[in-house]
Amino acid sequence: MAHGPTRVRRRRSETGAWELAEAPPAPGLERLVRGYVGFVETSTGPLCRRETPSGTAVLIVNFGVPLEVGAPSRPTVAHADSFVARVSDLPATTAFRGTSAGVQVDFTPLGLHLFCGLAMDELPDPAVALTDLLGDEGRRFTEILEDAGDWEARFDLLDALILRRVGAARPFAPSVEWAWRTLEASGGTVEVGVLNQRLRCSRRHLIAGF
């Protein structure tokens, strides 16, 4: 099993430089992982970005300077190590100074659920340290990826590490996955009652599954 082809882009300017390496996950992980992004970015001054809400949950495996993450009515937290950002209906901000480096894993909500073993509403918003979720395993996860020689090796390791964790997780109901994909494909416009009818289940049963 190997991830898809890697695309690397680089840019340099008066205010800094960056390198991005992007690749899809290995076959069999597509329903759980949307893709991998390796990054190294240097800025001559503070750099802040506004992140819009989306249906993607994110794992940042951090090799660089602390990354500050904040959200409306939430305190800003500087994450020196790796962290997870859940799916949220709130925008977020990220900021750093110096050189930011690491790997971003874009999970589907179901993928992050299997990886962490928790429901979305059990994860702090906007982000939580990976070691708070996985303990020493989270620390080793970061160390293994940072010590890998290049982006290709890191993406291969991610395939193996994610597959091992989701393979040992409690499986979710197929009806939940179907309902989520139907909601996503419709842009959130399909009514819950329609999902219940197609699945031949009650509203309470579907909500409990989610």
Side-chain angles (χ1 to χ4, degrees):
M1 176 180 291
H3 66 83
T6 299
R7 178 190 179 194
V8 179
R9 293 178 290 159
R10 298 179 180 89
R11 184 174 179 180
R12 184 177 298 276
S13 70
E14 295 179 356
T15 59
W18 54 258
E19 174 180 292
L20 291 180
E22 302 171 282
L29 284 175
E30 303 99 326
R31 57 199 273 264
L32 305 176
V33 178
R34 303 191 196 279
Y36 305 131
V37 181
F39 60 92
V40 179
E41 184 173 20
T42 300
S43 176
T44 57
L47 182 60
C48 181
R49 290 190 174 94
R50 184 176 175 87
E51 313 289 346
T52 58
S54 75
T56 298
V58 173
L59 164 63
I60 298 293
V61 184
N62 190 16
F63 312 147
V65 297
L67 191 64
E68 298 180 356
V69 181
S73 71
R74 304 284 197 280
T76 298
V77 177
H79 290 274
D81 298 314
S82 303
F83 63 90
V84 169
R86 52 170 275 184
V87 171
S88 175
D89 58 358
L90 296 174
T93 59
T94 59
F96 73 91
R97 181 192 299 267
T99 298
S100 176
V103 178
Q104 175 173 316
V105 181
D106 291 333
F107 279 105
T108 66
L110 295 173
L112 184 63
H113 165 64
L114 292 180
F115 180 80
C116 294
L118 295 171
M120 288 294 112
D121 62 356
E122 295 178 296
L123 296 172
D125 193 8
V128 58
L130 185 62
T131 52
D132 288 345
L133 298 176
L134 306 184
D136 286 341
E137 185 177 355
R139 188 173 294 104
R140 291 194 299 272
F141 194 95
T142 300
E143 291 171 351
I144 289 170
L145 289 173
E146 186 172 9
D147 290 342
D150 55 31
W151 297 124
E152 293 284 351
R154 287 174 178 139
F155 297 157
D156 285 338
L157 282 168
L158 279 168
D159 283 338
L161 291 167
I162 293 171
L163 188 63
R164 177 173 59 81
R165 280 198 62 84
V166 302
R170 176 186 175 185
F172 47 77
S175 59
V176 172
E177 181 176 18
W178 179 86
W180 169 258
R181 294 194 181 283
T182 302
L183 281 166
E184 192 172 41
S186 72
T189 61
V190 64
E191 296 182 357
V192 175
V194 173
L195 298 177
N196 295 336
Q197 291 175 4
R198 294 183 182 176
L199 290 171
R200 297 181 180 179
C201 69
S202 68
R203 180 186 296 263
R204 178 177 296 179
H205 178 82
L206 184 60
I207 291 173
F210 269 85

